[in-house]
Amino acid sequence: MLAAVDISPREAEVLELVGAHLSNAEIAARLCISVRTVESHVSSLLRKLEVPDRRGLAQRAPEPAGPGPSQPAPALPAPLTSFIGRVSERAELTELTKAHRQVTAVGPGGVGKTRLALAVAAEAAGEYSDGVWFVDLVPVTDPGMIATAVAGAVGLGEQPGRDMTESVVAALADRHALLVLDNCEHVVDGVALFLERLLATCPRVTVLATSRARLMVPFERVYQVPPLSLTVDGESDAVVLFMERAAAVGWPLDPPLRGQIAAICDRLDGMALAIELAAARYPTLGLDGITAALSHPLRMLTGGSRADERHRSVRAALDWSHALLDPADRTLLRRLSVFVAPFTVAAAAEVTGSEEGLVADGLARLTEQSLLVVTASPRGTNYRALETIRQYATERLSEAGELVDTRSRHLRWCLAMAAGLTVVGKDWRARFDLVADDLRAALAWAADRPEHRADAYELARCLAELTFTRNLIGESQGRYEQAAALADDPTDAVSMLRQAAAVAGCRMHGDDMYRLHRAAADTAGRSGDTAGAARDLANAAANAYRFSSKFARMLPREESIALIAEARELAGDAPAALAAVALAEAGRSLTDAIGAAQSPGDDAVGETIARAERAVELAHRAGDPLAESAALDTLTGAQSWAGDTFAAAETTRRRMTLLSSTPDTPASTHELIEALGEAAGASLGTGDLPGARRWARRLADHPLLAEVGHRATGWLLVADALAGDVDEVLAVSARFLEAWRRVGGPARSVLGPPAAAVATIHGLRDDHDARREWSAVLNQLDPSPWNTHGYGAVFEAMLLLHRGQAPEALKRMAPEPGEVWQWVTWIWHHWYVALRTEAAVLAGSSDARDRLAEARTVVAGNPVAGAIVERAGALLDGDQKALLATGEAFDAAGCRYQSARTLVLAGGDHAERGTAVLAGLGLAPMAPAGHRR
C-alpha cells in the first residue's frame, strides 16, 4: 500500500514509531533527531499519505516484518554469557508477574536474581504492547533519584511544572509495559515511594524488582530466588553452569568429573556468582585446588550485619578469590570500589594513586579473574565491578584503613571531571552521563564530612549547573539548595538560593520560587547585607505578580504589600535593590489594573506605565540585564493593558535584544522562555506573522520544553493557524495534545488559544469529528471570558465567515471592543475589530460604513488586520481592484489563508483559483456569504 508513495527511509522509521503510539519527543529520542525534525517528517507524511491527522498515520503504519504482533523490542541488556537452567523458576516468576502488578525477586547477592529477571522479561516481552524496560539502580546513591534513573532508561525527560516522578508517572499512565528495577536493596525506601505512585496511576504497568531485601510495601508479591539445583543425576543446573563456564575459558570438563563438580557446587550452596568465580579458577587451580581453597579459613567473614547465612557462600567465594590475588591486585580492586559507574584506565590510575601502565595491567588481570567487566566502545574501554564484588571490595578498603584517602582522591577526580564539563561540546551529554553517578556518589560522601565541606560545596554547585544543562531541572534545584546549605560564605549561599529560585521558575513551581527568595533574603539579612535582603524580598513579591499562574497558593495581597514595604525600608540607596522594589511596585500596580471591574481610567494606566518605566530605568542603571528584562516584561503588560499594541510589541523586541547577549544561566533561561512566548504573542497582535512564527519556533525547539509540548508549541499553533499553514498545525497539534494528556490534562487558560486555533483548522477542513474533539479540549482548558469574548470569538468568527455565516459571525462578536476590553486587549484587539468589521459588511449591517471608518483607525499599521479591514471596504464599495490588492497584502504578510479567501470573495475566475489554493492548503471550499454549509 505504501509502495506507490515516495516515502524516505527516515519517514518510514517515523511512521512505524507513530504506529507504535510514541510521542514526537519519544520518537526523537529513539532516532537521535530533534523534535522539530520529527514534526517535519510527520507533516510530510500527513501530506503524502493524504490522511487528516496522527490517528490516520497510525492506521497506515506497516506491520513489522516477520511473525508476531507489532511491539517494541525489549529494552534489555544483552547478556554476554548463556543463561543456564532454572526452568521451574522462570515459569513460577513468569506466572507471578502475570497475576500481580509488583513482584520482587529476593535473594542474597550472587544468587542470580538479575539474570533470572532478565530471562523472564525477555520471554514475556511479547505480552506487553509497549515493551519492556530495564533500570539498573546500582549507580543510584540517592533514594530521591529513582525516577531519574527510570526516566533515563525509558528515554524521558523532566516536564517543567512536575517533578521527575510526576513526569515518569504521567508518561507511563496509558502504557502496557513491564518495568524491571534491578538492585533495589540500597534504595529500598525510594523505590517503595516511587512504586506506590507509579502503580496507583499506571494501571497497565507491571514491575519486576530484584533486591536483597523485601521492599515492604503492601502491594508487593515476593519471590524468593533459590540457589541453583544441586541434584547429582546429570540435571543439576549448578553443575551445568560450572561446566559451561569452565569450557568457555578453554578447559572443557569430562562427564565423569560431574560428581566432584557437584561437591564443589554444594560447598558453594549453589550460588551462581560463587560457581562462576570457581569455574574461572579451574584453569589455574583445577578441581582439587578449588576444593582446597574452599577450606581456607578466610572463606567466610565474621561479624557485621552482612555475616548472615544467606551471604556466607558468596563471601566464601569472594574471600578465597581475593586471597589468591597478588597484593597489588588486591589493593587495586579495593580502591576501585569507590567507582559506582564504569571507569577508564586513566580514571582508575588517578583515583587509586598508581601509575597508568601498572593499573592497565592490573585491570586486565582482574578482568580475567571475573572480578571486573570490560566494555569496549568507540569512546574507549571502560571497566566496572559487579555490585556484589564492589561492595565486598569497599569493605576491604575500610578494613585496610584506606577508605578516606581513596574517597578523597575520588572526590578530587570528580571535581576535575565536573570542571571539565563546564564547556558544552557535541559529545557533552554522553560525557556527563558517563560520570554523573560518580559525581553524585562523591558528593553524598563529602557532604557529611566537615573537612571536605568546601569541596562538597563546589561539587554541589557544579552538579547543579551541569544537571540544569542536562535538563534535569528537578535535580538541579535540589543541588543548588544543597550547595546553599554547604556554603560557608553567606554570599555564596544567597547566590545558590537565587539560582535555585530561578530553576524553580523554569519548573513552574512558583511556591518554591517564593520560598527560596525568602530564604535568600533571610540569609542575606543575617549576614548584614540589607540591600541584598531587600532585593530578594522585592523579587519574591514581583514574581508572585509576574508568574501568578505558577503558584499553587496565591500570595495574599496584604502579604505582598508587606514584603514590598519591608524591601523598601531595607533598600537604602542600593541601585539593584531600588530597581527590584520599583519592579514589585509596578507589578502590584499592573495587577490592580488588570483586576479592575471596569476599564482602568487614564490616571491608573498612566501611573502603571510610569512605574514600569521607572523600574526599567533603575534596572538599566544598576547594570542588571535580567532585572531589566523583568521590568520590560511588566512594562509590556502595562502597555498592552492600555491598548497600545505597537508599543507593547516594541518593548518585547527590546527585551529579546537584551536577552540575546546574556550568559546561559537558570535565571536567564527562565526569562528567555517567558520572553519568547511574549514576543510571539506581541508579533501576532501587530500582524507580524513571520515574526510570530520565528519566536514561536524558538520556543517550541527549546530543549527545556522537550517533554512539555503543550507549553512549547502553543504559540506556534496559533501563528500557523492564523497564517493557514494547515500541515504544520496538524503535525504540531499531535505533540501538543499528547503532552497535555500526559500531564493529566490541566485546565490552563494560556493553553486555550492553541486549542481554539486547532479546532478552527479542523472546522475549516470540514473534519467535524476532530473539531468536536478539540472543542472539548478547549472547553476543558479554558471556560473563562478570555475564550468567550477574546480569542474564542476571533477563531469562531473566522470559521463562521468561511462557512458563509456572516450574521452568525457578527452575533458572535456583538459586544463592542470597549465592552469586553479585558478580553480583547493585547493580542486579539486588532483581530477582533477587523473580523467584526468584515462580518458587519458581509451581513449587510446598516452601520457597516461607520464601523469601517473606526476600524481603519484602530488597526492602522497592522498588515493583516489592516488588509482584512480594507478588503471589507472594497467589498462594501464594490471595488474589485482594491479587493485584489488586499490579496497581495496578505501574501506579503505571510497569510496564505486570507489571501485565498480574498480570491474567493472576488468571484469568477479568481474564485476558482482561490478555491484551488484552499484545497492545496488542505481546507474545504468557502461558502458564499449568506449561504450556510
Side-chain angles (χ1 to χ4, degrees):
M1 183 183 300
L2 299 178
V5 181
D6 182 17
I7 293 178
S8 70
R10 178 63 85 186
E11 287 173 343
E13 292 178 318
V14 171
L15 180 61
E16 181 177 352
L17 295 176
V18 169
H21 306 293
L22 270 65
S23 69
N24 285 355
E26 291 170 324
I27 294 173
R30 182 75 62 87
L31 299 181
C32 299
I33 57 179
S34 70
V35 173
R36 180 178 180 181
T37 301
V38 176
E39 292 170 358
S40 177
H41 287 313
V42 170
S43 176
S44 176
L45 287 166
L46 289 168
R47 183 177 63 257
K48 290 180 177 180
L49 297 178
E50 299 180 349
V51 293
D53 51 33
R54 198 179 183 90
R55 289 176 298 177
L57 282 184
Q59 294 170 359
R60 297 291 299 276
E63 292 292 329
S70 172
Q71 288 158 341
L76 301 174
L80 300 178
T81 56
S82 59
F83 184 75
I84 304 298
R86 291 201 182 273
V87 175
S88 61
E89 291 95 323
R90 279 185 288 177
E92 292 167 4
L93 190 53
T94 297
E95 289 303 313
L96 284 177
T97 59
K98 290 180 179 178
H100 304 278
R101 294 188 55 222
Q102 199 275 299
V103 179
T104 305
V106 174
V111 76
K113 301 183 295 294
T114 298
R115 291 299 300 272
L116 176 60
L118 284 173
V120 168
E123 291 175 357
E127 303 293 327
Y128 298 90
S129 58
D130 289 311
V132 177
W133 292 299
F134 178 86
V135 186
D136 184 4
L137 297 181
V138 167
V140 178
T141 56
D142 182 352
M145 297 296 294
I146 303 298
T148 299
V150 174
V154 175
L156 298 171
E158 185 173 356
Q159 303 164 0
R162 291 173 174 265
D163 62 29
M164 188 63 87
T165 298
E166 290 173 322
S167 298
V168 171
V169 167
L172 301 183
D174 60 349
R175 299 302 180 90
H176 182 213
L178 175 64
L179 183 65
V180 180
L181 298 181
D182 193 36
N183 293 298
C184 299
E185 56 271 0
H186 60 302
V187 283
V188 166
D189 293 339
V191 171
L193 289 174
F194 172 78
L195 290 184
E196 184 173 3
R197 295 178 66 181
L198 177 77
L199 295 174
T201 311
C202 307
R204 302 179 69 209
V205 171
T206 298
V207 176
L208 173 58
T210 74
S211 179
R212 297 185 186 185
R214 294 173 54 190
L215 303 182
M216 302 297 289
V217 290
F219 45 82
E220 178 185 35
R221 181 60 182 259
V222 176
Y223 178 76
Q224 192 75 40
V225 178
L228 292 169
S229 63
L230 296 170
T231 56
V232 196
D233 57 2
E235 300 298 324
S236 166
D237 287 344
V239 171
V240 173
L241 175 63
F242 189 103
M243 295 184 69
E244 177 159 325
R245 295 300 186 258
V249 293
W251 292 79
L253 291 160
D254 295 329
L257 297 174
R258 283 178 180 270
Q260 195 174 353
I261 296 170
I264 292 174
C265 292
D266 185 58
R267 294 282 299 275
L268 295 174
D269 292 335
M271 300 297 286
L273 175 60
I275 291 169
E276 294 212 25
L277 289 169
R281 291 295 185 189
Y282 175 70
T284 55
L285 295 178
L287 295 181
D288 292 340
I290 291 173
T291 301
L294 289 176
S295 300
H296 194 281
L298 292 179
R299 68 183 182 276
M300 284 189 256
L301 299 178
T302 58
S305 60
R306 295 172 183 260
D308 57 80
E309 289 298 325
R310 294 184 309 155
H311 292 173
R312 288 184 186 275
S313 59
V314 174
R315 286 188 175 280
L318 291 174
D319 275 345
W320 58 254
S321 185
H322 179 267
L324 293 174
L325 292 175
D326 291 337
D329 289 347
R330 294 182 200 171
T331 301
L332 179 61
L333 179 63
R334 64 176 178 259
R335 291 179 181 177
L336 292 173
S337 67
V338 296
F339 287 104
V340 297
F343 53 86
T344 64
V345 172
E350 187 169 344
V351 170
T352 61
S354 305
E355 294 182 12
E356 193 165 318
L358 296 176
V359 168
D361 289 341
L363 292 175
R365 289 191 295 273
L366 292 174
T367 302
E368 291 171 358
Q369 302 304 323
S370 300
L371 293 170
L372 293 178
V373 176
V374 60
T375 304
S377 71
R379 294 181 52 83
T381 303
N382 290 308
Y383 299 83
R384 68 178 179 90
L386 297 177
E387 180 60 13
T388 302
I389 297 172
R390 192 184 74 81
Q391 292 183 6
Y392 174 87
T394 299
E395 294 177 4
R396 288 292 191 177
L397 186 68
S398 181
E399 292 170 2
E402 299 174 348
L403 182 64
V404 172
D405 287 344
T406 306
R407 285 203 176 277
S408 296
R409 287 193 296 270
H410 181 249
L411 174 61
R412 290 194 295 272
W413 176 80
C414 287
L415 285 167
M417 292 297 101
L421 286 166
T422 55
V423 178
V424 179
K426 63 179 181 179
D427 62 342
W428 183 90
R429 178 170 176 168
R431 290 191 294 118
F432 170 79
D433 288 349
L434 191 63
V435 300
D437 287 320
D438 273 303
L439 301 185
R440 293 164 179 145
L443 176 57
W445 177 78
D448 293 331
R449 304 190 70 85
E451 68 273 21
H452 287 293
R453 185 181 181 90
D455 287 337
Y457 161 76
E458 182 63 20
L459 188 52
R461 182 190 65 78
C462 287
L463 197 50
E465 295 174 356
L466 295 172
T467 49
F468 186 83
T469 302
R470 184 62 173 79
N471 295 325
L472 299 173
I473 54 178
E475 181 179 0
S476 178
Q477 179 185 326
R479 298 302 181 188
Y480 274 121
E481 293 191 52
Q482 184 180 19
L486 290 167
D488 290 325
D489 188 338
T491 301
D492 291 334
V494 169
S495 175
M496 294 298 98
L497 289 168
R498 288 172 180 164
Q499 295 282 46
V503 179
C506 293
R507 301 178 67 206
M508 297 187 68
H509 287 199
D511 301 85
D512 273 2
M513 189 165 42
Y514 178 78
R515 170 182 62 82
L516 290 162
H517 274 301
R518 292 297 304 266
D522 290 343
T523 303
R526 287 196 301 270
S527 68
D529 180 10
T530 55
R535 177 183 171 190
D536 286 301
L537 290 171
N539 282 335
N543 287 339
Y545 293 128
R546 292 181 64 206
F547 309 116
S548 59
S549 64
K550 296 181 179 181
F551 280 72
R553 179 191 78 97
M554 297 303 296
L555 191 67
R557 187 172 186 273
E558 298 75 15
E559 185 174 342
S560 63
I561 291 174
L563 279 178
I564 296 172
E566 184 180 356
R568 189 186 305 112
E569 182 179 347
L570 294 173
D573 58 358
L578 290 173
V581 171
L583 173 62
E585 290 175 335
R588 183 184 67 189
S589 179
L590 178 60
T591 301
D592 290 343
I594 293 174
Q598 300 296 328
S599 178
D602 291 341
D603 290 344
V605 170
E607 180 183 353
T608 300
I609 291 177
R611 287 181 180 275
E613 287 176 338
R614 174 167 171 73
V616 173
E617 179 185 358
L618 289 175
H620 183 73
R621 288 183 189 175
D624 187 341
L626 297 184
E628 188 175 351
S629 169
L632 287 170
D633 178 30
T634 302
L635 177 58
T636 299
Q639 291 168 331
S640 65
W641 212 246
D644 197 341
T645 303
F646 291 103
E650 175 58 30
T651 302
T652 62
R653 286 191 289 270
R654 285 176 58 191
R655 188 180 179 199
M656 291 306 306
T657 300
L658 180 69
L659 291 173
S660 66
S661 59
T662 56
D664 288 334
T665 65
S668 66
T669 299
H670 187 209
E671 282 293 318
L672 178 63
I673 289 174
E674 297 295 327
L676 285 170
E678 191 173 80
S683 296
L684 288 172
T686 58
D688 178 12
L689 293 182
R693 294 188 69 189
R694 183 173 64 253
W695 299 124
R697 174 50 70 184
R698 280 188 60 184
L699 185 64
D701 289 344
H702 198 287
L704 197 64
L705 303 182
E707 297 295 332
V708 281
H710 53 304
R711 282 188 62 206
T713 62
W715 286 120
L716 188 59
L717 285 170
V718 174
D720 284 338
L722 291 173
D725 292 317
V726 178
D727 286 347
E728 287 293 311
V729 171
L730 296 180
V732 176
S733 63
R735 178 182 172 193
F736 177 97
L737 194 57
E738 287 168 355
W740 178 69
R741 286 174 172 167
R742 192 166 61 233
V743 298
R748 295 280 176 82
S749 60
V750 71
L751 300 177
V758 178
T760 297
I761 288 296
H762 284 299
L764 295 174
R765 299 175 67 245
D766 276 353
D767 187 340
H768 303 296
D769 290 342
R771 173 167 167 74
R772 279 193 292 271
E773 178 184 5
W774 278 91
S775 295
V777 170
L778 172 59
N779 291 334
Q780 184 176 342
L781 280 168
D782 184 18
S784 76
W786 288 101
N787 180 5
T788 305
H789 300 300
Y791 66 84
V794 167
F795 281 112
E796 284 191 38
M798 284 179 58
L799 179 57
L800 290 169
L801 289 171
H802 186 89
R803 291 175 171 175
Q805 298 173 260
E808 288 82 352
L810 185 59
K811 183 178 180 180
R812 181 68 179 84
M813 307 181 84
E816 294 285 344
E819 296 175 15
V820 289
W821 67 274
Q822 286 184 309
W823 323 120
V824 297
T825 54
W826 187 215
I827 299 168
W828 306 109
H829 188 202
H830 290 181
W831 292 91
Y832 188 93
V833 169
L835 291 170
R836 189 171 181 268
T837 302
E838 180 174 316
V841 169
L842 292 176
S845 177
S846 60
D847 62 348
R849 196 166 293 280
D850 292 336
R851 294 191 185 197
L852 187 65
E854 182 180 355
R856 282 179 170 137
T857 301
V858 173
V859 305
N862 184 316
V864 179
I868 293 174
V869 171
E870 291 307 315
R871 182 175 62 195
L875 289 169
L876 186 61
D877 295 335
D879 188 339
Q880 184 83 338
K881 181 178 180 181
L883 179 63
L884 293 173
T886 64
E888 296 175 1
F890 287 125
D891 285 332
C895 193
R896 292 189 292 169
Y897 169 69
Q898 293 295 347
S899 175
R901 179 172 168 76
T902 298
L903 292 173
V904 176
L905 290 171
D909 293 340
H910 300 297
E912 292 183 9
R913 287 198 294 117
T915 300
V917 172
L918 289 174
L921 293 175
L923 301 178
M926 281 173 49
H931 291 72
R932 297 173 179 272
R933 189 176 73 235

